[in-house]
Amino acid sequence: MIRLPERTARSEAKSAIRRTALALDRREQIERLASRPVDVLVVGGGVTGCYTALDAVTRGLSVALVERDDFASGTSSKSSKMVHGGLRYIEQGNLPLVRRSLLERQRFRHNAPHLVQRLPFVFPVLAQDGVFDARIAKAFEGLLWTYDLAGGWRIGRLHRRLSVPEVLARAPRLRAEQLKGGLLYYDSRTDDARLTLTIARTAAHFGATVLNGAACRGLVREGGRVRGATVEVDGREIDVRASVVINATGVWSDTLDAMSDPGHRPRIRPAKGVHIVVPWTRLPIDGTVTVPIPGRARRATCTRWGDVVVVGTTDTDYDGSLEHVLCTRQEMQYLLDGANTAFDAGLGPEDVVGSIAGLRPLVGGKEGATLDMSRDHHISTDAHGLVTVTGGKLTTSRHMGELVVDAALKVLGRKARCRTARLPLLGGAGYDAEATSATGGLGAHLGQRYGTEARFVTDLLSEDPSLAEPIVEGTAHLRAEVVYAARCELARTVDDVLSRRTRMRVFARDLSVKAAPEVGRLLQRELGLSDAEVARQVDDYVRGIDREKTVLMEALT
């Protein structure tokens, strides 16, 4: 583990990250949690909680991060997967959020170039019934100039107009009858789950204790102050002593706030966002194309991810279970209708190969549409010293972590300078995105997931040549990636591997079912799981997929 005494975080990261793979032993992490009081305990392993842990540990604080389920298993694996400034926030008049987001977008591209890639966005301009018709295209281009000047220029490209042939070259099935041209600008995308995991692992690299499958069951108090939490992990209860506890549990934050203050009034308003995934052969596009949803204010984005396209998103109030959030038939049809209106694709439910449904932890009252609610973050410290962060968005997670640690330091009565603005994440230091993409094949596949750490995955092949085989025929993911996930990424279950370490559940749902037994076999060998436990995990995974597909195919009412 690396700590930061005198040398800068960046130079320490560069020298240390290139030496060895970071193996994370679960039993060792549990013993550290049980035996060491910490300055800061972060509850919640989403992107904000993970960046908070990284920020705190690189300021010299002792840190523990606990997550009830798996890193990014909540909102942070179910986002739009965009690292962007947010054109819509300019339309809402929130230019400060756009400026901050565009600055943080560039920091992500610098600190995690293997995980955050530049992406072209196309807005078709139509004579009528488009996202932008010819009457307002000029006004919207003025908005794009504002976006460029607010920080969009940092990506290395300014927006420009496209001719009709240029638009169709990027989206050949776009209905051309009303097409007048288009507007092109650039933003970025990321694999949100792998980004969150990488932030958590980078925090561990610098000395933080990080654990998934570790649920907070209560708070420890001394003299009316919150001084830790009771954590249940692998059937064991541990009282973790901490000078300050940070609540970064997203849509569940009201629950932990109420543990600290029984008089706490709920403030989270969950907003449901849904995406569907279809084969690229059915919807061939380059980058992202933004299209209208008939009769709705919301725009939909269609984004290419390899051999699939992600279509989303919805933005609606949600009052159901926070634990089981699924895409419904009505939501799927809403997105299919939007895609079919814009493209001559004839997409139907049978074309959907995956879906994503998650909840945004918005803060505010019950009035108005969730689409119009602010995406600004909120940080508060209650009378008992519990620090809570809510709201915000993936793009600004590093900045949110910085501000949360500032608040924690006030509780501690200490000062320390933030070091994460230019701190490379694991795999990011020395990574050449263009060179890796040019290699194609296995090199590009591993490079765009692990960065410079890809060599640690391929090192496993000399240990066992059979690990060079795909997990299942038809996927690019190697068996070695499952072994690496168990040894270095704290993967505990079949679902951890297929849903968040490889994303097969999202991008190739049916293929992931075929892969589940092999993933179980490899995890059994690495983690010493019993036959009964492997069978249970595989069965749970398959039943979860069946439930997801059943809800998708329920008859419309």
Side-chain angles (χ1 to χ4, degrees):
M1 306 298 177
I2 306 299
R3 301 306 298 274
L4 299 175
E6 299 176 359
R7 295 167 63 185
T8 67
R10 182 171 174 78
S11 62
E12 284 281 3
K14 278 191 172 182
S15 63
I17 287 172
R18 294 177 180 176
R19 287 198 292 263
T20 58
L22 174 68
L24 290 175
D25 181 86
R26 184 170 182 80
R27 284 173 293 186
E28 178 186 337
Q29 295 293 304
I30 292 173
E31 289 308 314
R32 285 164 54 91
L33 189 72
S35 61
R36 303 181 186 182
V38 293
D39 296 321
V40 176
L41 171 64
V42 182
V43 182
V47 68
T48 304
C50 290
Y51 238 131
T52 297
L54 176 57
D55 186 287
V57 75
T58 53
R59 295 201 207 193
L61 301 173
S62 56
V63 177
L65 167 68
V66 294
E67 160 58 40
R68 181 188 63 175
D69 189 356
D70 186 28
F71 304 112
S73 57
T75 306
S76 295
S77 61
K78 294 151 186 170
S79 73
S80 64
K81 297 166 179 53
M82 300 297 173
V83 179
H84 65 145
L87 281 171
R88 182 160 50 85
Y89 309 135
I90 293 182
E91 296 174 278
Q92 294 173 346
N94 195 347
L95 191 58
L97 177 59
V98 175
R99 286 198 185 102
R100 168 57 62 180
S101 298
L102 289 171
L103 174 60
E104 295 301 327
R105 180 192 70 181
Q106 188 62 16
R107 286 172 170 165
F108 263 128
R109 293 187 67 238
H110 181 269
N111 296 335
H114 55 311
L115 294 170
V116 180
Q117 299 97 24
R118 184 170 64 189
L119 191 71
F121 280 64
V122 174
F123 286 91
V125 176
L126 306 181
Q128 59 185 22
D129 298 328
V131 174
F132 305 110
D133 60 33
R135 294 170 299 171
I136 64 172
K138 184 174 291 188
F140 189 76
E141 190 170 12
L143 187 151
L144 286 174
W145 275 118
T146 302
Y147 197 70
D148 286 342
L149 293 171
W153 58 269
R154 292 189 179 95
I155 208 164
R157 303 279 179 87
L158 298 179
H159 82 274
R160 65 183 180 89
R161 283 182 170 268
L162 297 178
S163 65
V164 170
E166 287 175 319
V167 173
L168 292 176
R170 294 177 179 272
R173 291 190 184 174
L174 195 67
R175 296 186 188 276
E177 310 89 69
Q178 303 290 334
L179 189 61
K180 296 297 183 182
L183 294 166
L184 171 71
Y185 79 106
Y186 289 84
D187 252 319
S188 298
R189 72 173 187 190
T190 188
D191 181 331
D192 48 5
R194 289 210 61 84
L195 179 65
T196 301
L197 173 67
T198 302
I199 297 166
R201 293 183 66 248
T202 307
H205 172 84
F206 285 105
T209 300
V210 299
L211 267 172
N212 49 356
C216 176
R217 299 304 187 195
L219 297 175
V220 175
R221 295 173 178 274
E222 285 181 1
R225 305 286 289 179
V226 173
R227 295 298 186 192
T230 300
V231 175
E232 182 181 347
V233 53
D234 294 0
R236 176 181 176 185
E237 279 203 349
I238 299 171
D239 281 343
V240 182
R241 313 297 293 189
S243 299
V244 62
V245 176
I246 295 172
N247 176 7
T249 56
V251 292
W252 293 272
S253 63
D254 282 326
T255 300
L256 192 58
D257 281 344
M259 290 182 186
S260 175
D261 177 11
H264 170 76
R265 300 180 64 178
R267 53 184 171 177
I268 297 300
R269 182 180 173 185
K272 185 178 182 183
V274 166
H275 299 74
I276 58 173
V277 182
V278 299
W280 180 81
T281 53
R282 300 287 288 118
L283 193 61
I285 58 173
D286 173 34
T288 290
V289 179
T290 302
V291 298
I293 298 288
R296 304 293 182 96
R298 180 84 195 190
R299 303 188 285 263
T301 56
C302 304
T303 302
R304 182 177 183 179
W305 280 80
D307 58 1
V308 298
V309 173
V310 179
V311 182
T313 177
T314 63
D315 198 322
T316 56
D317 267 313
Y318 181 80
D319 59 5
S321 168
L322 300 181
E323 313 303 328
H324 303 290
V325 186
L326 297 172
C327 176
T328 67
R329 173 65 183 269
Q330 185 174 10
E331 290 163 336
M332 175 183 67
Q333 197 62 53
Y334 168 87
L335 293 172
L336 288 173
D337 288 346
N340 285 330
T341 298
F343 296 92
D344 184 13
L347 294 170
E350 67 281 0
D351 293 308
V352 176
V353 299
S355 63
I356 312 165
L359 301 176
R360 303 177 184 90
L362 303 183
V363 181
K366 297 297 183 182
E367 299 300 321
T370 57
L371 179 63
D372 298 323
M373 290 181 65
S374 171
R375 265 52 176 175
D376 288 303
H377 60 266
H378 297 259
I379 299 168
S380 61
T381 303
D382 73 9
H384 309 287
L386 178 71
V387 178
T388 298
V389 55
T390 51
K393 60 201 201 88
L394 181 150
T395 306
T396 57
S397 56
R398 189 218 60 85
H399 182 57
M400 290 164 63
E402 175 184 348
L403 297 179
V404 173
V405 176
D406 286 346
L409 287 170
K410 289 182 181 179
V411 176
L412 294 170
R414 295 168 62 175
K415 292 184 178 180
R417 182 171 60 88
C418 172
R419 296 175 178 269
T420 57
R422 293 182 59 81
L423 176 69
L425 301 182
L426 286 177
Y431 179 77
D432 187 331
E434 291 187 5
T436 301
S437 296
T439 64
L442 179 61
H445 167 76
L446 295 178
Q448 292 169 4
R449 295 168 50 72
Y450 305 96
T452 56
E453 290 204 315
R455 67 189 186 278
F456 301 131
V457 179
T458 55
D459 283 349
L460 295 172
L461 308 185
S462 60
E463 173 187 320
D464 179 356
S466 72
L467 297 179
E469 297 296 321
I471 301 171
V472 66
E473 193 65 34
T475 182
H477 294 291
L478 307 182
R479 294 173 183 174
E481 294 181 69
V482 181
V483 173
Y484 184 81
R487 293 183 186 179
C488 300
E489 297 180 338
L490 285 175
R492 306 157 300 143
T493 68
V494 169
D495 184 60
D496 287 351
V497 172
L498 293 174
S499 292
R500 288 167 293 280
R501 305 304 186 278
T502 65
R503 312 316 305 273
M504 283 184 68
R505 180 168 186 164
V506 173
F507 297 137
R509 184 178 55 206
D510 291 345
L511 193 60
S512 76
V513 171
K514 296 179 181 179
E518 178 61 17
V519 171
R521 184 188 71 82
L522 291 166
L523 289 180
Q524 180 176 36
R525 189 175 72 175
E526 288 298 314
L527 304 178
L529 304 177
S530 67
D531 289 344
E533 174 62 15
V534 171
R536 183 192 66 78
Q537 288 190 18
V538 172
D539 183 59
D540 284 350
Y541 184 80
V542 173
R543 284 192 291 109
I545 295 291
D546 287 343
R547 182 169 59 249
E548 180 181 321
K549 293 170 70 174
T550 298
V551 172
L552 274 178
M553 296 304 171
E554 286 177 348
L556 290 172
T557 57

